Amino acid sequence: MQPRLPAEMHAAYDPRPMSSAPHSGPPAAGLNPAQLEAVYHLTGPCLVIAGAGSGKTKVITTKIAQLLVSGYRPSQIAAITFTNKAAQEMRERAKALVGKKAAKDLAISTFHSLGVRLLREEGTRVGLKEQFSILDSDDVLNVLKDAGGTTDAKQAQRWQWTISLWKNNGIGPLQAAQIAADDDERAAAAVMVRYQERLAAYQAVDFDDLITLPLKLLTTDAEAREKWQNKLRYVLVDEYQDTNSVQYELLKALVGERGMFTAVGDDDQSIYGWRGATIENLKRLPTDYPTLKVIPLEQNYRSTGSILRAANNVIAGNPKLFEKKLWSDFGDGEPVVLLEADGEEHEAERAVARIQQLRGDGMGPNFKDFAILYRANHQARVFEQALRRAQIPYKVSGGQSFFDKAEIKDLCAWLRLLVNQDDDPAFLRAVTTPKRGIGHTTLGALSTFSAQWKCSMFEALFSESLATAITARALAQLHEFGRAVNDLQYRAKHTEGHTAAHALLMEWLKDIGYEQHLVDNEENEKVAQARWGNVLDFVDWVAKRCGGQQSEEDGISFTEPKQSVLDVAQTISVILSLAERGDEQDQVTLTTLHASKGLEWPHVVLAGVNEGLLPFKREEAELTPEALQEERRLMYVGITRARTTLAVSTLRRRKKGRDTVVGIPSRFLAEMKLSEGSTREDPREKLKRMRAELVAKAAARVEAAGND
């Protein structure tokens, strides 16, 4: 039985089997020919090369609707994205297109959330208990410090990056030791062995394991592989160029030999090589799937002709995997502007002046229509100062998340411990927050005891022989904590619904004295109150999920009408790690080029377009051809964020450490060919024009008033 679609859908889709001609039915409303071809190709593997602003999300959601019309059940369709924000947008669009009922059962999620789903159902097949912990970045660093016997956070972070890259390329501890190229990598490989041992002991996984373990499951367990290939009959992958080696192998394992999938990506926007993403995955598709249908989307629905011309000119310097050239129906629009500044402070002043000029007397664009993009985080400071001086509201994208705040991490440690009492990192945070007289000496002795008896620290605190290792007072305090956790776990398991969950959580916070803990640890009373306000927000956030309300930002589907507090706690780590929160306040956006991907603004200033900054080059390292190509793609991404106007800014002199050096314009400026229709901005002429425009507007108002 085919799902019932909204009435407006029946005119948009051909309900006949897809063995007929792709365009044999009425076209999907509002799609261009290339988009239609992508939507109607359902008979085999498909690669959609989606240029910037070419409507790829519309193609994916419309293709989901066509799959439903063609006989697929909603639960048989998986759409995989890279961020919760993208998953949320896709879920909302799908709901509007196919209806709430059909959209409810679609598996729209991030790669990592899909991995969680597989491991929650099948984790015992790869050695996990039914309830396992997902470590966040802070937890991983602490485990690595322990595994490496160091207190150096920077060293542990280097190990973290190296081990993560190995995992993303399918490299385990033994192979890492074999391929280690220098002493640093050999040390990381040795730490990786001990790190993996600790993860197994804690019954915990890190974020990379959410991909590698499902891949292991599907490649080594024929029964599980057949089950999931039958469960997910068609797979769509967004931002395919951002996949790493392991994610590609996971996709292959999910779709099997039949290869019923659509990959949507753009080789010109592959900018995450530094975290394991590989453009090789695009190269491999035609080889691994000889019947692959490649469809380029070249019509841009975002930017003016002058902006697209600059983007096409830049990216032409890279070798092409698949030919495409962006174009739009919007006309040339304003020419791209080149801003030349004497230094960083002058550059920031000119960017602010440009915002003020385009806004005119306040009747122009809103502040949220503007973005200043840069290559590195340190470039933001001078722009912040200039915007504050001009009393212009702004936000720095990538600042501290609500979920990264210490008070939220404290509470999450308790909830994680309810789910998995073998989670030693969660135990250590919960037992010391708030403080209850259990010090480092006691915890060190408990850790040694648990290692000796090969059990978790929580399990060890109830051992009869622990009394030989610690004082009677310390033992009593540990037992009190253990009883509190067990009591909370029991109550959390049997408490569901919004009101009951909220009451339980507030009672728990009162029992452990968490509000007083915040007051005692903050000299500033207002800061303590703000932190307590965050805690109350978090309690409400958890309680709502217990009330059976669908979460739209976490990428995980909750199928039960109501959940217990323990049910919600089971997914808390991945929700927090993937959560993205934003707002719609009227603010100028400051953000890095990497963080800008997937976003757009009417007016963009691209700052610091100088050699050494963009393309970025470390002093001691050579800029390899591969690195230069990725930097060029990054420039291309920056240009194509702009819809209406684009200004690129370069420095005549720039700071380099404590020194000031001559600024060399980026080679990308020449590649943009700005002389072909773009202009250099003379601030004096701009000021004259702005004044003239203001005078004209004032005269028009006077004339209009007189006519009234």
Side-chain angles (χ1 to χ4, degrees), residues 362-383:
M363 301 295 288
N366 295 315
F367 287 122
K368 66 182 179 182
D369 294 329
F370 294 88
I372 300 173
L373 313 181
Y374 37 80
R375 178 62 175 81
N377 279 309
H378 70 82
Q379 293 172 263
R381 183 184 60 83
V382 68
F383 290 103

Side-chain angles (χ1 to χ4, degrees), residues 140-194:
V140 168
L141 281 176
N142 289 331
V143 176
L144 284 171
K145 288 178 188 176
D146 179 45
T150 183
T151 58
D152 186 343
K154 289 186 177 179
Q155 177 62 67
Q157 196 168 51
R158 287 193 290 270
W159 289 334
Q160 184 180 14
W161 277 102
T162 302
I163 291 171
S164 179
L165 282 173
W166 279 335
K167 285 190 174 187
N168 286 332
N169 284 287
I171 297 170
L174 294 179
Q175 189 181 356
Q178 295 170 353
I179 66 169
D182 52 35
D183 289 344
D184 288 340
E185 289 193 358
R186 281 186 282 273
V191 170
M192 187 179 186
V193 174
R194 298 191 289 273

Side-chain angles (χ1 to χ4, degrees), residues 629-701:
Q629 289 168 20
E630 181 152 324
E631 291 291 305
R632 185 175 284 115
R633 293 193 291 268
L634 193 58
M635 180 73 178
Y636 173 83
V637 165
I639 294 170
T640 54
R641 297 313 91 196
R643 287 163 49 189
T644 308
T645 74
L646 172 66
V648 287
S649 179
T650 186
L651 303 165
R652 297 188 183 96
R653 288 181 294 278
R654 70 180 185 89
K655 292 176 182 175
K656 190 174 182 182
R658 296 184 178 181
D659 300 325
T660 299
V661 299
V662 174
I664 301 173
S666 170
R667 68 194 76 187
F668 300 149
L669 291 175
E671 293 176 3
M672 289 174 75
K673 301 179 181 178
L674 295 180
S675 58
E676 297 179 5
S678 300
T679 64
R680 293 173 183 263
E681 184 181 58
D682 185 325
R684 291 166 297 187
E685 291 301 319
K686 284 290 182 182
L687 186 59
K688 288 179 184 178
R689 183 162 65 83
M690 185 174 73
R691 286 173 176 164
E693 289 172 355
L694 291 174
V695 169
K697 286 180 181 179
R701 288 197 196 97

Side-chain angles (χ1 to χ4, degrees), residues 221-281:
D221 190 320
E223 183 180 349
R225 180 169 62 251
E226 183 178 0
K227 171 186 173 181
W228 283 92
Q229 287 180 354
N230 287 329
K231 182 176 285 194
L232 302 178
R233 304 288 295 178
Y234 200 97
V235 179
L236 303 100
V237 181
D238 191 15
E239 302 289 6
Y240 177 76
Q241 77 283 345
D242 293 338
T243 55
N244 58 43
S245 298
V246 178
Q247 287 164 337
Y248 177 58
E249 293 300 329
L250 180 60
L251 171 64
K252 288 177 64 179
L254 278 171
V255 302
E257 293 183 1
R258 64 176 179 264
M260 298 301 287
F261 70 88
T262 294
V264 181
D266 182 5
D267 49 325
D268 290 336
Q269 296 187 71
S270 178
I271 59 173
Y272 294 117
W274 49 276
R275 69 181 187 196
T278 173
I279 204 168
E280 291 298 315
N281 288 350

Side-chain angles (χ1 to χ4, degrees), residues 35 50 54-64 86 89-91 93-94 97 238-239 264 297:
Q35 291 173 325
S54 61
K56 65 181 177 65
T57 304
K58 186 174 184 179
V59 167
I60 292 171
T61 52
T62 308
K63 189 158 192 173
I64 289 172
E89 179 186 1
M90 193 176 295
R91 195 177 297 115
R93 290 205 195 182
L97 199 57
D238 191 15
E239 302 289 6
V264 181
L297 303 183

